[in-house]
Amino acid sequence: MTDPHAIQPSALDQLPDRDPEETAEWQASLDAVAREAGPHRAAYLMRRTLERAEAGGIALPKLLETDYVNTIPTSAEPGLPGDPEMEARITAWNRWNAAAMVTRGSKYGVGGHIATFASAAWLYETGFNHFFKGKEGDGSGDQLYIQGHASPGIYARAFLDGRLNEAHLDNFRQEAGGNGLPSYPHPRRLPWLWEFPTVSMGLGPLSAIYQARFNRYLTNRGIKDVSASHVWAFLGDGEMDEPESTAALALAAREELDNLTFVINCNLQRLDGPVRANFKIVQELEAQFRGAGWNVVKTLWGSAWDELFQLDTTGALVRRLRQVPDAQVQTYQTRDAAYIRQDFFGADPALVEMAKLLSDDKILECFHLSRGGHESRKVYAAYKAAVEHKGAPTVILAQTVKGHTLGEGFASKNANHQMKKLSVDEFKAMRDLLELPIKDSDFVDGVVPYGHPGADSPEVRYLQERRAALGGPAPARRTHALAPLPAPAEKAFASFDKGSGSQNVATTMAFVRLVKDLVRDKETGKRWVPIVPDEARTFGMESLFPSLGIYSPKGQTYEPVDRDQLMYYKEAENGQILNEGITEAGSMADFIAASTAYSTHGEAMIPFYIFYSMFGWQRTADQMWQLGDQLGRGFLVGATAGRTTLTGEGLQHADGHSPVIAATNPAALTYDPAFAYEVAVIVREGLRRMYGEAKPGEDQDVFYYLTVYNEPLPQPAKPQGLGIDQGIVKGLYRFNTAESAGVAAPADAPRIQLLGSGTAIHWALEAQKLLAGEWGVAADVWSATSWTELRRDALEADAALLRGEERVPYVRQALQGAEGPVLAVSDYMRQVPDQIAQWVEQDYSSLGADGFGLSDTREAARRHFGIDARSIVVAALAQLAKRGEVRATAVKEAREKYGL
């Protein structure tokens, strides 16, 4: 059995010891210190030695945790510029109005959060007064990712500087009337204020990293120099449990994103209780970020603790702070001095002696009030260290008290996240604590008043002067008057009109070929941002590698193994492709940053993100909702789409439902094109709508979702006739009739309308031949490029009718006069084509791939789901038999004939 106390071998044992005697002397010295001065002293010396080695650039494993003290000691803090007393008064007003806003709204039951901003007020105020660059100066300003639950405090500050009025505050979370404030940062709801939606926890941190990275991308590619912009992400320590919060930490460190700072408000509480009740979340996060390569600044204790640390000549205080779990720290916040003396100081004889030198008031000041995140000097020192640090991103771990200044009923209580109001007496106590000039008589009928020192008060003048010096108001979203991008040459799109002849081409390849032509455009080519999560070769994009290059801030520091090949793997500092590795979430964060650059940086970029369709909406639909909220524009491309086209991959790769999820997003225009020319028409229309000349009343803040297929098939020529392009864009047009297809049945033959989308139209075309040749049925085939857009148009028509306007849904117009029943089919679950059922006047039925996917050939999978050509024939005959237009026995005969 291995001796657990024995020194275990390490990697160092594999290296020759050039001087064993010297090594033994060092080890003996350590043993002597541990024996004579105790193990704590030995550990202290080792930590200091490791820190010295790290500072001197000596290659050693990093020290992942430091003591539970401030990274920047009081003696090393820079002087606080500005007027601290003025900033304290401003912060007091903001605290008051944030609490008043939520309390006044509570009578309507709309909710709100008070405790988060109460803990973080100084984290924001210090930034607004000294660091956060606005958008009226040079460049793009800073990008601020505000913690969602702190929004009342941001509104309160906007009220103080005149950007909001009392009516706005009284309509917090009451938006239907048109003058309200959204609950959280929602750019779509308040587009002049909010830039980034953050309340879907975990997405803010992830997006902030990729935004900082995209800023570098724009600079390195010469689109715009945004090197002066800094990205600030404000997070909660509980939010760090979300996997997205830490998913890209290594990327930020690897690419040395020193234009990024995380500020984590460590109030030690989640929504319902402690974040790490039996552990220490600050230490855990420090180790996690240090291990990922970040610069870590801990701002834990306020100045009241300086006296205690000076008395700690044995290190007992620092050791005890490391031992006490977070939940016990919260308990100290609510207990008297006697309890703290016994439980905290009583744990060590040295601390017992220290406590004898401290008054009860001093103990309560330290354990109830004094936290680093509540002192502007401490916060300023941390922020200054962050922006001056080079070569790595910085995380600031700021300890605060949740519910600070809100009274004993709030501070550190487990339920404070759900507590929505203060009583009048609690407000009066808060007023006295904050020393605000609000009179008892201002509380009319028990309603708490808003407080404002006056538009020309010293506080407001100071606030506005500080913001003017930093480049204008913040947070703020800028709407740029951008000139429409010129349309690419028509040749790129028209080349698909003639079809592929005898060559089999998948629509995935058609899309890539189209993009390859568009990125060559002299006017707009550089604005395309191709994004792919590591499977570019799967989608046939390797031809773009040498011509566009893969973005890497380091360039290419190696010789690629395929350098002698035409399509070699080329990385470049100014590369255009974002090849993200196996991270759909990271790729979506890329897309969001690129798709909103028109606002963030005043530069219209055209992102297209191509991915396995199954791993798009199913995995990252929350980010796609975030994209819609952030008013992003661009092309999402679900490749290898459909439940039966990706042969052999099986259940988790077989996408039969992404259009269903996409249909739930109001900003997503979802298309399932069947042919290459349809892809071209849709992309051309998307470029016009999002980046070109918008039509009156047209919403440009949309994004397109296209499904494309990996099934090589002949691409037909674009049909001739009026309205084809319009039909493609609107979602439906007649591709052919039985007569134009050359499969005409007898003149009196029963007729049916076959609607197909994506690859399913090929089965419909085969069924069209079988119906005519074997059953005497004439079928017309329609291409349904977008079931979702057809439904939305119909919903709008219904709404217009309720307003007294006469309007007929497009789907009804398109099918008007079409003979016989309608049978719709797609490679997705029936719910997708069934979106339009209620607006089709003809008898309507559908086929689809419901259920889990499976591994097999395409033919076998389609037979399994009953959507192949022969299954379509049987379903069509059943529809006609029900109407008495074919004999009833035909259905049974067809089933037996086709082996169904």
Side-chain angles (χ1 to χ4, degrees), residues 193-220:
L193 181 72
W194 298 120
E195 271 195 293
F196 308 108
T198 54
V199 81
S200 187
M201 289 190 287
L203 299 191
L206 181 68
S207 294
I209 290 173
Y210 281 89
Q211 181 66 57
R213 197 280 199 91
F214 191 74
N215 290 358
R216 290 280 173 85
Y217 173 90
L218 287 178
T219 300
N220 289 341

PDB file of all heavy atoms in Angstrom, residues 193-220:
ATOM      1  N   LEU A 193     -30.939  53.386 -24.954  1.00  0.00           N
ATOM      2  CA  LEU A 193     -30.195  53.213 -23.705  1.00  0.00           C
ATOM      3  C   LEU A 193     -29.382  51.931 -23.677  1.00  0.00           C
ATOM      4  O   LEU A 193     -28.168  51.947 -23.489  1.00  0.00           O
ATOM      5  CB  LEU A 193     -31.157  53.236 -22.513  1.00  0.00           C
ATOM      6  CG  LEU A 193     -30.497  53.084 -21.137  1.00  0.00           C
ATOM      7  CD1 LEU A 193     -29.738  54.359 -20.776  1.00  0.00           C
ATOM      8  CD2 LEU A 193     -31.545  52.783 -20.060  1.00  0.00           C
ATOM      9  N   TRP A 194     -30.068  50.799 -23.854  1.00  0.00           N
ATOM     10  CA  TRP A 194     -29.402  49.510 -23.679  1.00  0.00           C
ATOM     11  C   TRP A 194     -28.729  49.045 -24.965  1.00  0.00           C
ATOM     12  O   TRP A 194     -29.325  49.081 -26.032  1.00  0.00           O
ATOM     13  CB  TRP A 194     -30.402  48.452 -23.232  1.00  0.00           C
ATOM     14  CG  TRP A 194     -31.074  48.710 -21.920  1.00  0.00           C
ATOM     15  CD1 TRP A 194     -32.411  48.843 -21.693  1.00  0.00           C
ATOM     16  CD2 TRP A 194     -30.447  48.841 -20.636  1.00  0.00           C
ATOM     17  NE1 TRP A 194     -32.668  49.049 -20.370  1.00  0.00           N
ATOM     18  CE2 TRP A 194     -31.476  49.052 -19.689  1.00  0.00           C
ATOM     19  CE3 TRP A 194     -29.125  48.804 -20.196  1.00  0.00           C
ATOM     20  CZ2 TRP A 194     -31.212  49.226 -18.337  1.00  0.00           C
ATOM     21  CZ3 TRP A 194     -28.865  48.977 -18.851  1.00  0.00           C
ATOM     22  CH2 TRP A 194     -29.890  49.181 -17.939  1.00  0.00           C
ATOM     23  N   GLU A 195     -27.508  48.556 -24.843  1.00  0.00           N
ATOM     24  CA  GLU A 195     -26.805  47.945 -25.976  1.00  0.00           C
ATOM     25  C   GLU A 195     -26.879  46.433 -25.949  1.00  0.00           C
ATOM     26  O   GLU A 195     -26.991  45.798 -26.998  1.00  0.00           O
ATOM     27  CB  GLU A 195     -25.325  48.353 -25.956  1.00  0.00           C
ATOM     28  CG  GLU A 195     -25.005  49.617 -26.691  1.00  0.00           C
ATOM     29  CD  GLU A 195     -23.508  49.749 -26.944  1.00  0.00           C
ATOM     30  OE1 GLU A 195     -22.748  49.902 -25.978  1.00  0.00           O
ATOM     31  OE2 GLU A 195     -23.114  49.699 -28.124  1.00  0.00           O
ATOM     32  N   PHE A 196     -26.796  45.847 -24.751  1.00  0.00           N
ATOM     33  CA  PHE A 196     -26.612  44.405 -24.653  1.00  0.00           C
ATOM     34  C   PHE A 196     -27.614  43.785 -23.684  1.00  0.00           C
ATOM     35  O   PHE A 196     -27.672  44.178 -22.518  1.00  0.00           O
ATOM     36  CB  PHE A 196     -25.187  44.086 -24.181  1.00  0.00           C
ATOM     37  CG  PHE A 196     -24.126  44.752 -24.994  1.00  0.00           C
ATOM     38  CD1 PHE A 196     -23.386  45.804 -24.469  1.00  0.00           C
ATOM     39  CD2 PHE A 196     -23.877  44.352 -26.292  1.00  0.00           C
ATOM     40  CE1 PHE A 196     -22.411  46.431 -25.215  1.00  0.00           C
ATOM     41  CE2 PHE A 196     -22.905  44.974 -27.059  1.00  0.00           C
ATOM     42  CZ  PHE A 196     -22.166  46.027 -26.518  1.00  0.00           C
ATOM     43  N   PRO A 197     -28.406  42.810 -24.144  1.00  0.00           N
ATOM     44  CA  PRO A 197     -29.280  42.071 -23.220  1.00  0.00           C
ATOM     45  C   PRO A 197     -28.442  41.099 -22.393  1.00  0.00           C
ATOM     46  O   PRO A 197     -27.637  40.353 -22.940  1.00  0.00           O
ATOM     47  CB  PRO A 197     -30.241  41.335 -24.159  1.00  0.00           C
ATOM     48  CG  PRO A 197     -29.541  41.270 -25.473  1.00  0.00           C
ATOM     49  CD  PRO A 197     -28.556  42.379 -25.532  1.00  0.00           C
ATOM     50  N   THR A 198     -28.629  41.115 -21.085  1.00  0.00           N
ATOM     51  CA  THR A 198     -27.748  40.327 -20.215  1.00  0.00           C
ATOM     52  C   THR A 198     -28.477  39.470 -19.202  1.00  0.00           C
ATOM     53  O   THR A 198     -27.826  38.715 -18.475  1.00  0.00           O
ATOM     54  CB  THR A 198     -26.802  41.263 -19.426  1.00  0.00           C
ATOM     55  OG1 THR A 198     -27.597  42.238 -18.740  1.00  0.00           O
ATOM     56  CG2 THR A 198     -25.837  41.968 -20.344  1.00  0.00           C
ATOM     57  N   VAL A 199     -29.812  39.577 -19.125  1.00  0.00           N
ATOM     58  CA  VAL A 199     -30.438  38.944 -17.968  1.00  0.00           C
ATOM     59  C   VAL A 199     -30.629  37.441 -18.138  1.00  0.00           C
ATOM     60  O   VAL A 199     -30.895  36.754 -17.173  1.00  0.00           O
ATOM     61  CB  VAL A 199     -31.767  39.639 -17.615  1.00  0.00           C
ATOM     62  CG1 VAL A 199     -32.870  39.136 -18.523  1.00  0.00           C
ATOM     63  CG2 VAL A 199     -32.116  39.470 -16.143  1.00  0.00           C
ATOM     64  N   SER A 200     -30.486  36.914 -19.342  1.00  0.00           N
ATOM     65  CA  SER A 200     -30.452  35.467 -19.488  1.00  0.00           C
ATOM     66  C   SER A 200     -29.056  35.038 -19.035  1.00  0.00           C
ATOM     67  O   SER A 200     -28.092  35.105 -19.794  1.00  0.00           O
ATOM     68  CB  SER A 200     -30.711  35.049 -20.936  1.00  0.00           C
ATOM     69  OG  SER A 200     -30.839  33.655 -21.033  1.00  0.00           O
ATOM     70  N   MET A 201     -28.964  34.639 -17.789  1.00  0.00           N
ATOM     71  CA  MET A 201     -27.664  34.589 -17.116  1.00  0.00           C
ATOM     72  C   MET A 201     -26.681  33.639 -17.802  1.00  0.00           C
ATOM     73  O   MET A 201     -27.040  32.569 -18.263  1.00  0.00           O
ATOM     74  CB  MET A 201     -27.860  34.223 -15.657  1.00  0.00           C
ATOM     75  CG  MET A 201     -28.495  35.361 -14.865  1.00  0.00           C
ATOM     76  SD  MET A 201     -28.497  35.113 -13.087  1.00  0.00           S
ATOM     77  CE  MET A 201     -29.763  33.860 -12.948  1.00  0.00           C
ATOM     78  N   GLY A 202     -25.449  34.089 -17.859  1.00  0.00           N
ATOM     79  CA  GLY A 202     -24.375  33.356 -18.513  1.00  0.00           C
ATOM     80  C   GLY A 202     -24.090  33.868 -19.907  1.00  0.00           C
ATOM     81  O   GLY A 202     -22.956  33.772 -20.381  1.00  0.00           O
ATOM     82  N   LEU A 203     -25.100  34.430 -20.583  1.00  0.00           N
ATOM     83  CA  LEU A 203     -24.891  34.903 -21.946  1.00  0.00           C
ATOM     84  C   LEU A 203     -24.126  36.223 -21.964  1.00  0.00           C
ATOM     85  O   LEU A 203     -23.384  36.503 -22.904  1.00  0.00           O
ATOM     86  CB  LEU A 203     -26.231  35.063 -22.663  1.00  0.00           C
ATOM     87  CG  LEU A 203     -27.062  33.782 -22.806  1.00  0.00           C
ATOM     88  CD1 LEU A 203     -28.232  34.018 -23.755  1.00  0.00           C
ATOM     89  CD2 LEU A 203     -26.212  32.618 -23.298  1.00  0.00           C
ATOM     90  N   GLY A 204     -24.305  37.047 -20.928  1.00  0.00           N
ATOM     91  CA  GLY A 204     -23.561  38.297 -20.853  1.00  0.00           C
ATOM     92  C   GLY A 204     -22.061  38.081 -20.811  1.00  0.00           C
ATOM     93  O   GLY A 204     -21.317  38.665 -21.614  1.00  0.00           O
ATOM     94  N   PRO A 205     -21.559  37.237 -19.898  1.00  0.00           N
ATOM     95  CA  PRO A 205     -20.115  36.978 -19.866  1.00  0.00           C
ATOM     96  C   PRO A 205     -19.572  36.412 -21.174  1.00  0.00           C
ATOM     97  O   PRO A 205     -18.534  36.847 -21.668  1.00  0.00           O
ATOM     98  CB  PRO A 205     -19.962  35.956 -18.729  1.00  0.00           C
ATOM     99  CG  PRO A 205     -21.186  36.072 -17.913  1.00  0.00           C
ATOM    100  CD  PRO A 205     -22.272  36.598 -18.793  1.00  0.00           C
ATOM    101  N   LEU A 206     -20.287  35.456 -21.733  1.00  0.00           N
ATOM    102  CA  LEU A 206     -19.850  34.849 -22.986  1.00  0.00           C
ATOM    103  C   LEU A 206     -19.805  35.896 -24.094  1.00  0.00           C
ATOM    104  O   LEU A 206     -18.825  36.008 -24.845  1.00  0.00           O
ATOM    105  CB  LEU A 206     -20.794  33.708 -23.359  1.00  0.00           C
ATOM    106  CG  LEU A 206     -20.466  32.948 -24.643  1.00  0.00           C
ATOM    107  CD1 LEU A 206     -19.181  32.148 -24.482  1.00  0.00           C
ATOM    108  CD2 LEU A 206     -21.618  32.017 -25.027  1.00  0.00           C
ATOM    109  N   SER A 207     -20.863  36.679 -24.207  1.00  0.00           N
ATOM    110  CA  SER A 207     -20.927  37.698 -25.259  1.00  0.00           C
ATOM    111  C   SER A 207     -19.863  38.764 -25.067  1.00  0.00           C
ATOM    112  O   SER A 207     -19.300  39.268 -26.052  1.00  0.00           O
ATOM    113  CB  SER A 207     -22.314  38.346 -25.280  1.00  0.00           C
ATOM    114  OG  SER A 207     -23.296  37.421 -25.671  1.00  0.00           O
ATOM    115  N   ALA A 208     -19.588  39.128 -23.823  1.00  0.00           N
ATOM    116  CA  ALA A 208     -18.585  40.157 -23.569  1.00  0.00           C
ATOM    117  C   ALA A 208     -17.213  39.714 -24.074  1.00  0.00           C
ATOM    118  O   ALA A 208     -16.458  40.516 -24.656  1.00  0.00           O
ATOM    119  CB  ALA A 208     -18.532  40.464 -22.075  1.00  0.00           C
ATOM    120  N   ILE A 209     -16.881  38.455 -23.858  1.00  0.00           N
ATOM    121  CA  ILE A 209     -15.591  37.953 -24.327  1.00  0.00           C
ATOM    122  C   ILE A 209     -15.502  38.031 -25.844  1.00  0.00           C
ATOM    123  O   ILE A 209     -14.511  38.516 -26.409  1.00  0.00           O
ATOM    124  CB  ILE A 209     -15.367  36.514 -23.838  1.00  0.00           C
ATOM    125  CG1 ILE A 209     -15.135  36.499 -22.322  1.00  0.00           C
ATOM    126  CG2 ILE A 209     -14.183  35.858 -24.571  1.00  0.00           C
ATOM    127  CD1 ILE A 209     -15.079  35.118 -21.710  1.00  0.00           C
ATOM    128  N   TYR A 210     -16.538  37.576 -26.515  1.00  0.00           N
ATOM    129  CA  TYR A 210     -16.489  37.588 -27.979  1.00  0.00           C
ATOM    130  C   TYR A 210     -16.638  38.998 -28.541  1.00  0.00           C
ATOM    131  O   TYR A 210     -16.167  39.280 -29.657  1.00  0.00           O
ATOM    132  CB  TYR A 210     -17.537  36.635 -28.550  1.00  0.00           C
ATOM    133  CG  TYR A 210     -17.083  35.195 -28.481  1.00  0.00           C
ATOM    134  CD1 TYR A 210     -17.339  34.415 -27.362  1.00  0.00           C
ATOM    135  CD2 TYR A 210     -16.360  34.622 -29.513  1.00  0.00           C
ATOM    136  CE1 TYR A 210     -16.905  33.100 -27.270  1.00  0.00           C
ATOM    137  CE2 TYR A 210     -15.915  33.311 -29.448  1.00  0.00           C
ATOM    138  CZ  TYR A 210     -16.182  32.561 -28.326  1.00  0.00           C
ATOM    139  OH  TYR A 210     -15.740  31.258 -28.250  1.00  0.00           O
ATOM    140  N   GLN A 211     -17.280  39.902 -27.798  1.00  0.00           N
ATOM    141  CA  GLN A 211     -17.322  41.293 -28.233  1.00  0.00           C
ATOM    142  C   GLN A 211     -15.927  41.901 -28.175  1.00  0.00           C
ATOM    143  O   GLN A 211     -15.498  42.588 -29.114  1.00  0.00           O
ATOM    144  CB  GLN A 211     -18.271  42.103 -27.338  1.00  0.00           C
ATOM    145  CG  GLN A 211     -18.404  43.575 -27.736  1.00  0.00           C
ATOM    146  CD  GLN A 211     -19.065  43.756 -29.078  1.00  0.00           C
ATOM    147  OE1 GLN A 211     -20.191  43.299 -29.298  1.00  0.00           O
ATOM    148  NE2 GLN A 211     -18.385  44.414 -30.003  1.00  0.00           N
ATOM    149  N   ALA A 212     -15.205  41.648 -27.076  1.00  0.00           N
ATOM    150  CA  ALA A 212     -13.835  42.146 -26.975  1.00  0.00           C
ATOM    151  C   ALA A 212     -12.969  41.546 -28.074  1.00  0.00           C
ATOM    152  O   ALA A 212     -12.119  42.236 -28.668  1.00  0.00           O
ATOM    153  CB  ALA A 212     -13.258  41.805 -25.596  1.00  0.00           C
ATOM    154  N   ARG A 213     -13.192  40.295 -28.363  1.00  0.00           N
ATOM    155  CA  ARG A 213     -12.439  39.629 -29.425  1.00  0.00           C
ATOM    156  C   ARG A 213     -12.808  40.223 -30.792  1.00  0.00           C
ATOM    157  O   ARG A 213     -11.941  40.463 -31.644  1.00  0.00           O
ATOM    158  CB  ARG A 213     -12.764  38.139 -29.362  1.00  0.00           C
ATOM    159  CG  ARG A 213     -11.830  37.210 -30.081  1.00  0.00           C
ATOM    160  CD  ARG A 213     -12.045  37.121 -31.593  1.00  0.00           C
ATOM    161  NE  ARG A 213     -11.441  35.927 -32.094  1.00  0.00           N
ATOM    162  CZ  ARG A 213     -12.082  34.759 -32.207  1.00  0.00           C
ATOM    163  NH1 ARG A 213     -13.341  34.658 -31.860  1.00  0.00           N
ATOM    164  NH2 ARG A 213     -11.471  33.703 -32.674  1.00  0.00           N
ATOM    165  N   PHE A 214     -14.110  40.496 -31.009  1.00  0.00           N
ATOM    166  CA  PHE A 214     -14.526  41.063 -32.296  1.00  0.00           C
ATOM    167  C   PHE A 214     -13.986  42.487 -32.461  1.00  0.00           C
ATOM    168  O   PHE A 214     -13.687  42.910 -33.584  1.00  0.00           O
ATOM    169  CB  PHE A 214     -16.049  41.056 -32.417  1.00  0.00           C
ATOM    170  CG  PHE A 214     -16.532  41.374 -33.810  1.00  0.00           C
ATOM    171  CD1 PHE A 214     -16.414  40.436 -34.828  1.00  0.00           C
ATOM    172  CD2 PHE A 214     -17.071  42.615 -34.112  1.00  0.00           C
ATOM    173  CE1 PHE A 214     -16.828  40.732 -36.125  1.00  0.00           C
ATOM    174  CE2 PHE A 214     -17.505  42.911 -35.398  1.00  0.00           C
ATOM    175  CZ  PHE A 214     -17.378  41.970 -36.409  1.00  0.00           C
ATOM    176  N   ASN A 215     -13.852  43.215 -31.364  1.00  0.00           N
ATOM    177  CA  ASN A 215     -13.231  44.538 -31.459  1.00  0.00           C
ATOM    178  C   ASN A 215     -11.823  44.420 -32.036  1.00  0.00           C
ATOM    179  O   ASN A 215     -11.411  45.210 -32.892  1.00  0.00           O
ATOM    180  CB  ASN A 215     -13.179  45.195 -30.084  1.00  0.00           C
ATOM    181  CG  ASN A 215     -14.545  45.611 -29.574  1.00  0.00           C
ATOM    182  OD1 ASN A 215     -15.554  45.451 -30.256  1.00  0.00           O
ATOM    183  ND2 ASN A 215     -14.594  46.136 -28.364  1.00  0.00           N
ATOM    184  N   ARG A 216     -11.073  43.435 -31.558  1.00  0.00           N
ATOM    185  CA  ARG A 216      -9.727  43.208 -32.091  1.00  0.00           C
ATOM    186  C   ARG A 216      -9.786  42.793 -33.565  1.00  0.00           C
ATOM    187  O   ARG A 216      -8.934  43.188 -34.371  1.00  0.00           O
ATOM    188  CB  ARG A 216      -9.028  42.115 -31.267  1.00  0.00           C
ATOM    189  CG  ARG A 216      -8.673  42.550 -29.850  1.00  0.00           C
ATOM    190  CD  ARG A 216      -7.385  43.385 -29.855  1.00  0.00           C
ATOM    191  NE  ARG A 216      -7.112  43.950 -28.540  1.00  0.00           N
ATOM    192  CZ  ARG A 216      -6.476  43.303 -27.569  1.00  0.00           C
ATOM    193  NH1 ARG A 216      -6.073  42.050 -27.745  1.00  0.00           N
ATOM    194  NH2 ARG A 216      -6.235  43.902 -26.418  1.00  0.00           N
ATOM    195  N   TYR A 217     -10.769  41.988 -33.897  1.00  0.00           N
ATOM    196  CA  TYR A 217     -10.957  41.540 -35.282  1.00  0.00           C
ATOM    197  C   TYR A 217     -11.156  42.738 -36.206  1.00  0.00           C
ATOM    198  O   TYR A 217     -10.523  42.836 -37.264  1.00  0.00           O
ATOM    199  CB  TYR A 217     -12.160  40.596 -35.310  1.00  0.00           C
ATOM    200  CG  TYR A 217     -12.647  40.142 -36.668  1.00  0.00           C
ATOM    201  CD1 TYR A 217     -12.141  38.987 -37.270  1.00  0.00           C
ATOM    202  CD2 TYR A 217     -13.674  40.820 -37.328  1.00  0.00           C
ATOM    203  CE1 TYR A 217     -12.623  38.539 -38.496  1.00  0.00           C
ATOM    204  CE2 TYR A 217     -14.167  40.384 -38.547  1.00  0.00           C
ATOM    205  CZ  TYR A 217     -13.634  39.237 -39.122  1.00  0.00           C
ATOM    206  OH  TYR A 217     -14.125  38.798 -40.332  1.00  0.00           O
ATOM    207  N   LEU A 218     -12.026  43.669 -35.804  1.00  0.00           N
ATOM    208  CA  LEU A 218     -12.265  44.852 -36.635  1.00  0.00           C
ATOM    209  C   LEU A 218     -10.994  45.674 -36.803  1.00  0.00           C
ATOM    210  O   LEU A 218     -10.696  46.170 -37.903  1.00  0.00           O
ATOM    211  CB  LEU A 218     -13.358  45.724 -36.008  1.00  0.00           C
ATOM    212  CG  LEU A 218     -14.797  45.231 -36.087  1.00  0.00           C
ATOM    213  CD1 LEU A 218     -15.721  46.214 -35.365  1.00  0.00           C
ATOM    214  CD2 LEU A 218     -15.250  45.065 -37.532  1.00  0.00           C
ATOM    215  N   THR A 219     -10.249  45.820 -35.719  1.00  0.00           N
ATOM    216  CA  THR A 219      -9.019  46.604 -35.781  1.00  0.00           C
ATOM    217  C   THR A 219      -7.980  45.917 -36.654  1.00  0.00           C
ATOM    218  O   THR A 219      -7.368  46.538 -37.529  1.00  0.00           O
ATOM    219  CB  THR A 219      -8.463  46.820 -34.363  1.00  0.00           C
ATOM    220  OG1 THR A 219      -9.438  47.518 -33.573  1.00  0.00           O
ATOM    221  CG2 THR A 219      -7.180  47.629 -34.405  1.00  0.00           C
ATOM    222  N   ASN A 220      -7.778  44.624 -36.439  1.00  0.00           N
ATOM    223  CA  ASN A 220      -6.745  43.900 -37.182  1.00  0.00           C
ATOM    224  C   ASN A 220      -7.065  43.777 -38.659  1.00  0.00           C
ATOM    225  O   ASN A 220      -6.146  43.690 -39.487  1.00  0.00           O
ATOM    226  CB  ASN A 220      -6.540  42.513 -36.572  1.00  0.00           C
ATOM    227  CG  ASN A 220      -5.856  42.570 -35.221  1.00  0.00           C
ATOM    228  OD1 ASN A 220      -5.235  43.556 -34.878  1.00  0.00           O
ATOM    229  ND2 ASN A 220      -5.983  41.513 -34.435  1.00  0.00           N
TER     230      ASN A 220
END
